Amino acid sequence: MANINDNYLKLPGSYLFAEIAHRITNYRKAHADADIIRLGIGDVTRPLPMASIRAMHAAVDEMADAATFRGYGPEQGYDFLRESIAEHSYAMRGVSIEPDEIFISDGAKSDCGNIQEIFGQDNRIAITDPVYPVYLDTNVMAGRTGELQENGYFSGVTYLPCRAENHFLPQLPKEHVDLIYLCSPNNPTGAAMSRSDLAAWVAYAREQEAVILFDAAYEAYIEAGNADIPHSIYEIDGAKEVAIEFRSFSKTAGFTGTRCGYVVLPKTVKGRAKDGRHVPLHPLWNRRHTTKFNGTSYIVQRGAAAIYTEEGQAQVRALIAYYMENARIIREGLQKAGLTVYGGVHSPYIWLKTPGSMLSWDFFDQLLQEVQVIGTPGVGFGPCGEGYFRLTAFGDRERTQEAVERIRALA
Ligand code: MLT
């Protein structure tokens, strides 16, 4: 019999969003006609930008003609997309990133999960608490942690508590860590790190020779004109030696089902080999990517590149404005109902304090049973999320309004 990877046995039974889906399925068995409103998983509901649709139709037509048909593309992505990203997401913000420092993928979830493969087993990781579960779970799978303890923490991991008292912003660890996962604007709390917050992390990473894994999947939600919240960690001096950035078209342009994201890995970021040499990480990631991935589909990359046209940019802005209006409706509606609410300003996530001292999963069950609204229990993102609850602004407008009314009626 083959041996298994025992690290998997350390993980709790199911992934957070799978557990939510399971509870909904059970509820549906007894209430087949229930009118459920889903503001749980951060999945978008608006159609793709028309510029992307048109570009994908044209790409399909190219595939229908032997003269323009494409088979395998470059694993790292087509130049037309990498160059557009380098220009629009970076150069236009004063950041110099070479197109070949950008690796196109099928989304930031895979990238955030896969990146740890190029790092040694003995690195100490730091994650925020609460946290997007993928960062932690993939390190558990890789054997980079100890066991899950009764207090909900894995041994061998440095947790950075993010609570209302510190505005849900991680503080620098007291001990040395090697890999630091940061997400800003944050999933799940919605908190956004300022330039000085991020500069402190970059300085820490440089001093400790650590690497920051920076998830910027929600950067498009930063309020336009706010100069104090960086869209990219590379806006901070010195970050190009210590940070890897993750971006996604999912939340920016509605690609959750279409799948496209990218990793930015500057050639100047280095790690240490066992023999003490300082080795650039770029070739390692390139090796991993080209070995395990055959490239994002040409059609999808054409759709992604279309968001950088003038028409595409206007459509993406409209999409984001739509969701941010939902965020305002949720935030203000729940505040009026007397709930304490955070996030929802530079972020599509609203992070609310459960009423009284209710536990997160109890609040989840109450909303499901009594008003048929789905959210995400804060404790699913880590022990510090206990007593909190996340709602997403990615719903349909009318359904979002209806959900707020239902929750207000309950309060
Ligand atoms: C979430 O709800 O946290 C996100 O949708 C998960 C993801 O992007 O994978």
Side-chain angles (χ1 to χ4, degrees):
M1 188 176 285
N3 295 326
I4 61 158
N5 175 351
D6 276 78
N7 293 311
Y8 278 69
L9 302 180
K10 297 179 189 166
L11 288 164
S14 63
Y15 181 60
L16 172 62
F17 295 106
E19 172 61 23
I20 291 173
H22 175 67
R23 290 194 187 207
I24 300 171
T25 306
N26 278 349
Y27 180 79
R28 273 225 179 275
K29 279 185 194 148
H31 309 86
D33 299 328
D35 176 23
I36 294 176
I37 304 179
R38 293 169 187 260
L39 301 181
I41 191 162
D43 196 5
V44 296
T45 52
R46 306 296 297 159
L48 294 171
M50 195 42 76
S52 298
I53 294 289
R54 265 202 289 272
M56 287 196 280
H57 276 296
V60 169
D61 288 341
E62 285 181 64
M63 293 301 227
D65 183 340
T68 49
F69 170 80
R70 310 217 181 197
Y72 293 127
E75 291 95 341
Q76 302 90 337
Y78 284 98
D79 285 346
F80 64 80
L81 180 54
R82 300 170 92 192
E83 282 164 11
S84 293
I85 292 168
E87 167 68 15
H88 291 265
S89 295
Y90 294 99
M92 283 168 72
R93 290 196 183 280
V95 174
S96 160
I97 292 290
E98 295 301 320
D100 67 356
E101 294 176 316
I102 297 168
F103 295 82
I104 310 298
S105 71
D106 65 349
K109 180 176 180 177
S110 324
D111 290 333
C112 291
N114 292 332
I115 195 74
Q116 47 77 29
E117 285 186 28
I118 63 167
F119 293 100
Q121 200 75 7
D122 45 359
N123 284 304
R124 185 164 183 101
I125 66 157
I127 56 160
T128 60
D129 171 22
V131 73
Y132 178 44
V134 173
Y135 315 148
L136 176 63
D137 288 5
T138 53
N139 277 288
V140 175
M141 290 169 179
R144 215 169 273 114
T145 73
E147 298 291 333
L148 180 59
Q149 299 161 307
E150 273 193 11
N151 60 7
Y153 292 116
F154 281 91
S155 58
V157 173
T158 296
Y159 288 86
L160 309 167
C162 295
R163 301 195 170 94
E165 303 88 270
N166 57 20
H167 308 286
F168 301 103
L169 295 172
Q171 309 299 300
L172 299 177
K174 305 238 177 326
E175 72 251 31
H176 168 82
V177 298
D178 303 292
L179 296 173
I180 303 153
Y181 288 84
L182 296 177
C183 174
S184 176
N186 188 260
N187 177 15
T189 66
M193 296 172 84
S194 69
R195 210 161 276 282
S196 62
D197 295 330
L198 262 186
W201 278 101
V202 169
Y204 171 90
R206 292 177 68 87
E207 185 198 298
Q208 297 286 322
E209 298 191 327
V211 173
I212 298 174
L213 304 168
F214 188 70
D215 185 350
Y218 300 94
E219 58 77 32
Y221 289 83
I222 296 169
E223 229 167 44
N226 188 317
D228 194 40
I229 302 179
H231 287 249
S232 163
I233 195 163
Y234 305 120
E235 291 176 48
I236 307 297
D237 282 346
K240 277 173 72 177
E241 279 82 50
V242 292
I244 301 175
E245 183 161 292
F246 305 92
R247 294 267 189 119
S248 166
F249 291 87
S250 286
K251 313 297 159 83
T252 307
F255 274 55
T256 53
T258 310
R259 309 305 308 149
C260 195
Y262 56 95
V263 172
V264 180
L265 211 172
K267 293 180 192 128
T268 38
V269 186
K270 292 187 178 153
R272 191 181 301 103
K274 278 216 161 63
D275 62 10
R277 271 179 308 146
H278 287 195
V279 176
L281 299 181
H282 184 279
L284 306 188
W285 182 245
N286 188 56
R287 186 70 168 85
R288 191 243 168 240
H289 199 71
T290 51
T291 302
K292 295 197 175 184
F293 189 60
N294 251 341
T296 304
S297 110
Y298 171 69
I299 298 164
V300 168
Q301 291 191 60
R302 278 290 178 203
I307 77 159
Y308 298 110
T309 59
E310 214 178 304
E311 180 200 1
Q313 286 289 283
Q315 290 163 357
V316 161
R317 275 196 298 275
L319 255 186
I320 288 165
Y322 179 95
Y323 292 132
M324 287 312 286
E325 175 60 8
N326 284 354
R328 187 195 64 75
I329 290 166
I330 301 173
R331 207 179 60 242
E332 293 181 4
L334 297 186
Q335 275 165 348
K336 281 193 193 126
L339 290 167
T340 304
V341 178
Y342 304 93
V345 178
H346 301 291
S347 153
Y349 293 123
I350 287 87
W351 186 242
L352 60 106
K353 186 86 197 72
T354 58
S357 51
M358 205 177 218
L359 299 178
S360 302
W361 277 110
D362 290 347
F363 191 56
F364 174 91
D365 288 331
Q366 185 189 22
L367 289 189
L368 174 59
Q369 301 287 337
E370 296 182 26
V371 292
Q372 292 76 50
V373 173
I374 306 296
T376 308
V379 71
F381 297 102
C384 281
E386 184 56 279
Y388 286 90
F389 200 73
R390 193 194 76 175
L391 293 172
T392 94
F394 288 125
D396 164 83
R397 173 68 43 77
E398 277 179 26
R399 300 293 280 164
T400 300
Q401 281 163 334
E402 164 84 21
V404 172
E405 287 314 310
R406 291 189 196 179
I407 298 173
R408 286 180 67 173
L410 191 71

